[in-house]
Amino acid sequence: MSTPTSPQTDPSILLIDGHSMAYRAYHALPPEKFSTATGQTTNAVFGFVSMLLTALDAEAPTHIVVAFDRGRPQFRLDQHPGYKAGRAKTPPDFHGQVELIEDVLAALRIPVVGLEAVEADDVLATLARLAEEAGVEARIASGDKDAFQLVRPGVTVLYPRKGMTDLVRMTPEAVEEKYGVTPAQYRGHAALVGEKADNLPGVPGVGPKTAAKWLTTYGDLDGILENADDIKGKAGENLRAHVDDVARNYRLNRLLDDVELPLGIADAVRREPDREALGTLFDQLEFAVLGRRVEAVLGAGEGTDVAAAEVPEPVRVDSGSLRHELDAVRATDWVAVATDAAYVLGQGTVDHLALAAGDRVSLIDLTDLDAPATDALSAFLTDHPRLVAHDAKPQLKALWDAGFTGAHADWDTQLAGYLIEPDKRSHDLGDLASTHLGGALPDAPDDAPAADVAARAWAIAQLRPVLAEQLDAHGATGIMEQIEVPVLDILARMETRGIAVDRDRLDALGGEFREQADASAQAAYAAIGHEVNLGSPKQLQEVLFDELDMPKTKKTKTGYTTDAAALADLFARTEHPFLQHLLAHRDRTKLSQTVVGLEKTLADDGRIHTTYLQTVAATGRLSSKDPNLQNIPVRTEAGRRIREVFVPGAGADALLTADYSQIEMRIMAHLSGDPSLISAFLAGEDLHAFVGAQVFGVQTADVTPEMRAKVKAMSYGLVYGLSAYGLAQQLAIGVDEARGLMDGYFARFGAVRDYLSTVVEEARSRGYTETMDGRRRYLPALQSDRRQMREMAERAALNAPIQGSAADIMKTAMIRVDGAMREADLGSRALLQVHDEIIVELMPDEHEAVTDIVRREMAGAASLTVPLDVNVGIGSSWQDAAH
DNA sequence: TAGGGAGCGA
DNA sequence: ACGTCGCTCCCTAC
């Protein structure tokens, strides 16, 4: 498609009637199918944006403006106070969507015009005239038929049909075809027929056909009115009786093409979108598919493809020239490294490696290097103190696999992007280049994939100083260098090592769960007399609510929930055995699936190698995938049996688990400075019993298990921004009782309440929250005037400093533990991290030393006003090591 | 193939 | 409307 900045031989302007198109979208798309997690309806936004993309794609305009109605149409109201009266009130969820559309347009850098007292179509009519005078083709996208009067050579109206992406091109010929009148006659046509939506009645009994016939006979409306007396029949009679109405309609439906505008055609030149803002916005709107369409339509910075234009031709390096090349880049400050590392069948491969420093880019074909050159490169990757990569972790693993065992990274542009914008879903190099370099990466030519490696290295080299400066501005340089980079290396080693699994035991367990699941399914079928897919919520709803006529549960988007809590509740009411078997089946299939997932990822070396993601959790936590080892069951007896299959591997003789005790509550005590909470931790008492005693006004010894459970739920809930309603829901108690509990809590721990409200207010005024180590999370939604979004952001603001500080502490602990074990020359290594717990594989004779190290280094990872207690256990399996 | 429902963990 | 941060599975509609 055409590029916004390149000169065009055929300039054209796309003029969009914002309100009419948004309104059409609102009614064209079912709102229930377009709503975000926060409950925001987005059907109008979605429809508008897809229409916009379609039009941009099809018309490739060089200029664009969107006009919105604001205030009231003064000129028409003056003449006809009833103008647009009686129109259905705009639905409440429409207005907010117009704001969102304006947000999208701002991110796309599309100029928006909204004038008090002037309707959008008058603005468009004026712009169409200006365009014509400037020799610019105009395309008007409008759902308002009045626009048809503007059609002429050089001015086309795009009128939406049914779906939003089907735009009919109304040229002069198309208008004649459809209405039997010329565009110039269209106003008269509309005046005769009338417009219900605008409360402008026409001549009774005169429809499009008659109006067209009269207009062709008499030329225009004046001609008709002059000859009104000659027109026969009922229609003629009606016309004579309604001449005033028709004249009024004609005056009112004229679009003004001479309103004063704040911009001209030259100001409407298309500009590069703000991709960063657009990404954030589309994330919020949950427009994943549309986001990709934007890229397809707008191109990833096509036309300003700085990277493509400027990336220097790489120097091809061979064994003979390698040393010289390494010396050349060694003399520079930072050196960017990129590879084509990939994993195939659990084995890392890497064929090409590119280095970039300043404007010099060199490309090395690793498969072509002789042994001395390989050694030289290996030494370089080991010793150079300023290597920067993008998403270094998988590349390091591949390089280690390929024999470059000392390869390391000192900086990572992906981590930098993450620290700057932790809420973003992905941090592709291409995205960073678009955002910070003003142009996208060139596509890799199919015939020369290695050229892409060179371009990536070059982009990384350009990005490092830019991102380093931003990191500084965000106060995140320390976190990058002291925490994230060292952790990246440790994670790479943990992943490479993996954790050993007793395969036979895992298989046996899977069979056992499968059998139990099948038995439960059979029992469930028997209870209702037929088979049904127990995994289908839809079919379950039919059974429960239609067939068995049970009371309806809480609504979901597509029906009524069949989740475990609802099923348990239904069982309490109906005691229908089907429910019990269904719940048991759910339970067992879940466990069976977990086992299958583990079996699938169990590598030939008898170990499972998860992948930790360091740049996805907005709070600073890690996540784990393929498989996720951070959600292995632990709460039920059967679930814990899965933990028994994780065992020490060859050479090791035990596993050690070490976890922080109530780290989030301790951080809460520290950050709030609440004296009661602090003294509870200092006294080393059972926290929940202590809090229970305070809240219920009894001795600690008299706190019942029920009281303890309630207080525990509340304490943790507070960290997440729990409401009285939510607490009531969870504890199955009344909202009043829940509120009483919370009041009692805050009466005793007042500093906690103060802290929580301060956190939110500070975040609101500064724009971000901060962990103890200064890791920020930006929450612009705190300013939102949409309550639901704002409250969600407020809860995130409550939680982020606490969850994030815990994450920082754990990362620091991992670095300290790893360092201490190496320092002591121990062979034991950490294998897994589960947020507040690490799992270490113990070598013989190292149990005591590692236990000491882990205790000391974890407890010492932060200094709080309360102690950081660490529980340690050793055993023959993950389960056995639990304490 | 993408999104929803469900469920596991901290 | 009503508790944060994640990942994975299956089903279903497209």
Side-chain angles (χ1 to χ4, degrees):
Chain A
M1 66 146 253
S2 68
T3 59
T5 50
S6 62
Q8 279 283 315
T9 43
D10 286 328
S12 66
I13 186 165
L14 179 61
L15 302 167
I16 298 176
D17 183 335
H19 257 111
S20 88
M21 294 309 264
Y23 203 69
R24 292 290 294 254
Y26 180 82
H27 289 291
L29 304 173
E32 64 276 6
K33 298 195 79 175
F34 294 88
S35 73
T36 67
T38 64
Q40 170 71 49
T41 310
T42 55
N43 61 334
V45 189
F46 185 94
F48 183 93
V49 175
S50 34
M51 177 279 299
L52 175 64
L53 292 176
T54 304
L56 286 175
D57 200 20
E59 306 295 330
T62 52
H63 297 62
I64 183 169
V65 172
V66 179
F68 281 98
D69 297 326
R70 300 223 200 283
R72 320 221 338 125
Q74 206 51 52
F75 147 78
R76 295 184 180 87
L77 277 171
D78 285 348
Q79 302 200 25
H80 179 53
Y83 182 66
K84 288 190 175 175
R87 189 179 268 202
K89 193 105 178 74
T90 47
D93 55 343
F94 177 68
H95 180 71
Q97 293 198 61
V98 171
E99 286 175 35
L100 287 170
I101 288 171
E102 296 203 44
D103 290 347
V104 172
L105 292 171
L108 287 167
R109 297 204 214 274
I110 290 175
V112 168
V113 178
L115 300 176
E116 283 294 326
V118 178
E119 284 185 272
D121 36 17
D122 298 322
V123 171
L124 299 184
T126 305
L127 283 165
R129 178 179 60 79
L130 293 173
E132 193 173 31
E133 288 167 10
V136 174
E137 288 267 330
R139 313 264 183 271
I140 302 175
S142 175
D144 188 338
K145 292 197 179 81
D146 282 343
F148 294 162
Q149 65 184 269
L150 301 172
V151 172
R152 51 191 184 261
V155 180
T156 304
V157 168
L158 308 174
Y159 188 77
R161 196 163 45 187
K162 268 202 186 156
M164 284 308 291
T165 54
D166 189 2
L167 298 170
V168 186
R169 298 179 64 84
M170 298 302 283
T171 57
E173 296 74 34
V175 173
E176 285 206 56
E177 167 97 7
K178 185 162 167 66
Y179 294 101
V181 300
T182 64
Q185 293 169 319
Y186 183 80
R187 273 181 64 206
H189 187 272
L192 291 166
V193 176
E195 179 56 78
K196 253 207 211 90
D198 291 341
N199 192 29
L200 298 174
V203 181
V206 172
K209 285 275 160 56
T210 312
K213 195 178 74 187
W214 290 350
L215 283 162
T216 24
T217 308
Y218 300 104
D220 57 14
L221 191 64
D222 281 345
I224 293 171
L225 295 181
E226 279 168 21
N227 296 289
D229 294 339
D230 300 344
I231 298 176
K232 302 191 176 40
K234 189 72 184 161
E237 234 172 78
N238 282 343
L239 170 63
R240 290 184 287 278
H242 291 86
V243 165
D244 289 349
D245 281 353
V246 173
R248 178 207 58 210
N249 292 355
Y250 194 69
R251 277 198 312 278
L252 290 179
N253 72 16
R254 181 187 142 220
L255 297 183
L256 308 179
D257 64 359
D258 56 355
V259 298
E260 204 169 311
L261 297 181
L263 54 66
I265 300 297
D267 305 306
V269 175
R270 279 178 66 192
R271 301 166 60 198
E272 277 295 308
D274 179 347
R275 290 191 162 76
E276 193 175 334
L278 205 56
T280 313
L281 203 51
F282 275 30
D283 277 355
Q284 271 176 29
L285 293 167
E286 298 170 10
F287 285 175
V289 179
L290 221 46
R292 285 192 285 281
R293 245 192 97 203
V294 168
E295 282 310 313
V297 171
L298 301 182
E302 199 186 348
T304 56
D305 204 339
V306 181
E310 294 178 9
V311 62
E313 186 62 27
V315 179
R316 304 266 167 178
V317 180
D318 59 19
S319 297
S321 60
L322 181 72
R323 279 171 180 286
H324 173 263
E325 190 64 27
L326 293 180
D327 286 341
V329 291
R330 213 190 300 269
T332 61
D333 190 15
W334 283 87
V335 179
V337 184
T339 67
D340 57 359
Y343 273 87
V344 183
L345 300 170
Q347 179 122 42
T349 61
V350 47
D351 295 334
H352 294 88
L353 184 148
L355 301 175
D359 277 337
R360 187 180 188 86
V361 183
S362 39
L363 184 59
I364 305 165
D365 183 346
L366 298 175
T367 60
D368 211 29
L369 289 188
D370 61 22
T374 304
D375 288 348
L377 180 60
S378 185
F380 179 86
L381 294 175
T382 304
D383 300 334
H384 196 288
R386 284 179 300 278
L387 296 180
V388 50
H390 182 88
D391 191 14
K393 184 155 60 67
Q395 302 183 79
L396 286 183
K397 292 198 294 179
L399 283 167
W400 295 343
D401 227 19
F404 298 92
T405 51
H408 75 285
D410 303 284
W411 223 81
D412 188 315
T413 47
Q414 186 182 53
L415 285 171
Y418 165 68
L419 290 173
I420 292 165
E421 284 189 282
D423 274 272
K424 255 191 146 178
R425 284 262 159 250
S426 89
H427 301 274
D428 289 350
L429 184 57
D431 292 348
L432 288 174
S434 297
T435 308
H436 299 284
L437 299 182
L441 281 176
D443 287 334
D446 289 335
D447 52 337
D452 181 52
V453 179
R456 292 174 66 83
W458 182 84
I460 293 164
Q462 308 307 304
L463 277 168
R464 211 219 71 101
V466 179
L467 292 174
E469 196 180 315
Q470 290 224 10
L471 222 46
D472 248 350
H474 285 72
T477 304
I479 296 180
M480 176 74 152
E481 291 170 0
Q482 307 305 314
I483 296 182
E484 300 298 355
V485 169
V487 162
L488 121 72
D489 189 83
I490 292 172
L491 291 177
R493 293 177 198 283
M494 286 164 55
E495 294 171 14
T496 301
R497 186 167 293 221
I499 185 164
V501 162
D502 184 335
R503 192 190 294 265
D504 294 340
R505 205 156 170 182
L506 181 66
D507 293 344
L509 196 55
E512 196 178 318
F513 289 149
R514 189 68 259 161
E515 274 175 33
Q516 293 171 348
D518 291 344
S520 297
Q522 292 308 324
Y525 302 152
I528 55 170
H530 63 90
E531 295 201 0
V532 58
N533 186 343
L534 297 174
S536 163
K538 197 175 161 228
Q539 294 183 36
L540 284 180
Q541 286 174 46
E542 280 166 28
V543 170
L544 296 176
F545 307 122
D546 298 340
E547 225 176 288
L548 299 177
D549 217 21
M550 291 188 181
K552 295 280 202 295
T553 54
K554 215 173 70 177
K555 278 209 169 203
T556 66
K557 272 188 186 175
T558 52
Y560 299 93
T561 184
T562 63
D563 68 18
L567 294 180
D569 183 54
L570 284 180
F571 182 70
R573 297 195 203 195
T574 65
E575 293 190 358
H576 199 291
F578 174 73
L579 294 164
Q580 252 185 329
H581 300 308
L582 172 58
L583 281 164
H585 176 263
R586 281 252 178 93
D587 211 46
R588 295 296 140 161
T589 46
K590 177 75 182 176
L591 292 169
S592 158
Q593 281 164 9
T594 305
V595 169
V596 171
L598 294 175
E599 283 171 332
K600 272 196 274 205
T601 52
L602 179 50
D604 291 341
D605 62 0
R607 302 174 77 100
I608 290 180
H609 305 262
T610 183
T611 302
Y612 287 101
L613 301 181
Q614 208 179 345
T615 60
V616 295
T619 51
R621 273 190 176 180
L622 301 175
S623 71
S624 152
K625 67 160 188 159
D626 298 330
N628 183 357
L629 292 185
Q630 290 179 323
N631 71 342
I632 299 302
V634 69
R635 287 171 197 182
T636 63
E637 176 54 39
R640 285 192 289 271
R641 292 183 57 200
I642 298 181
R643 292 188 173 221
E644 290 174 0
V645 309
F646 292 88
V647 293
D653 69 345
L655 291 179
L656 173 149
T657 71
D659 66 15
Y660 282 117
S661 157
Q662 295 160 334
I663 187 168
E664 293 194 338
M665 291 311 298
R666 288 171 197 265
I667 290 169
M668 170 83 99
H670 174 79
L671 292 176
S672 70
D674 188 279
S676 307
L677 208 50
I678 290 172
S679 64
F681 280 121
L682 289 174
E685 293 193 51
D686 172 346
L687 175 78
H688 302 305
F690 176 88
V691 173
Q694 295 281 311
V695 170
F696 291 104
V698 298
Q699 293 296 309
T700 311
D702 297 333
V703 174
T704 64
E706 290 74 31
M707 290 157 80
R708 189 177 182 280
K710 285 179 182 178
V711 160
K712 183 179 175 184
M714 178 167 53
S715 291
Y716 279 101
L718 288 175
V719 179
Y720 305 140
L722 184 64
S723 66
Y725 177 91
L727 183 62
Q729 196 83 20
Q730 190 191 320
L731 295 174
I733 59 176
V735 177
D736 286 342
E737 188 187 343
R739 189 166 295 119
L741 270 173
M742 292 179 74
D743 289 346
Y745 182 95
F746 285 131
R748 301 290 176 165
F749 305 97
V752 172
R753 174 176 29 205
D754 296 344
Y755 164 73
L756 292 174
S757 54
T758 317
V759 160
V760 174
E761 281 326 306
E762 258 189 35
R764 208 189 308 280
S765 63
R766 289 196 302 200
Y768 58 85
T769 62
E770 216 168 21
T771 66
M772 291 165 53
D773 283 344
R775 178 193 302 271
R776 292 183 193 174
R777 180 173 182 192
Y778 287 81
L779 293 166
L782 288 172
Q783 303 285 352
S784 172
D785 49 9
R786 288 184 281 276
R787 195 172 81 159
Q788 205 165 341
M789 287 191 69
R790 190 178 61 242
E791 289 183 341
M792 222 167 147
E794 285 170 354
R795 291 191 293 271
L798 286 177
N799 177 251
I802 296 172
Q803 192 181 108
S805 295
D808 288 345
I809 291 171
M810 179 48 109
K811 283 176 173 173
T812 302
M814 290 167 68
I815 297 165
R816 291 165 56 107
V817 168
D818 187 73
M821 289 196 301
R822 286 167 185 278
E823 182 72 22
D825 229 4
L826 300 177
S828 303
R829 287 292 179 271
L831 304 181
L832 303 179
Q833 187 254 41
V834 190
H835 307 307
D836 66 356
E837 169 185 20
I838 57 175
I839 291 91
V840 182
E841 191 173 42
L842 290 177
M843 294 301 164
D845 305 324
E846 295 184 0
H847 295 203
E848 245 181 86
V850 172
T851 303
D852 289 349
I853 285 174
V854 160
R855 280 192 189 285
R856 181 179 72 237
E857 300 304 336
M858 283 180 73
S863 65
L864 310 183
T865 48
V866 296
L868 270 177
D869 277 7
V870 178
N871 298 315
V872 180
I874 293 176
S876 56
S877 71
W878 188 358
Q879 171 54 27
D880 192 38
H883 20 271

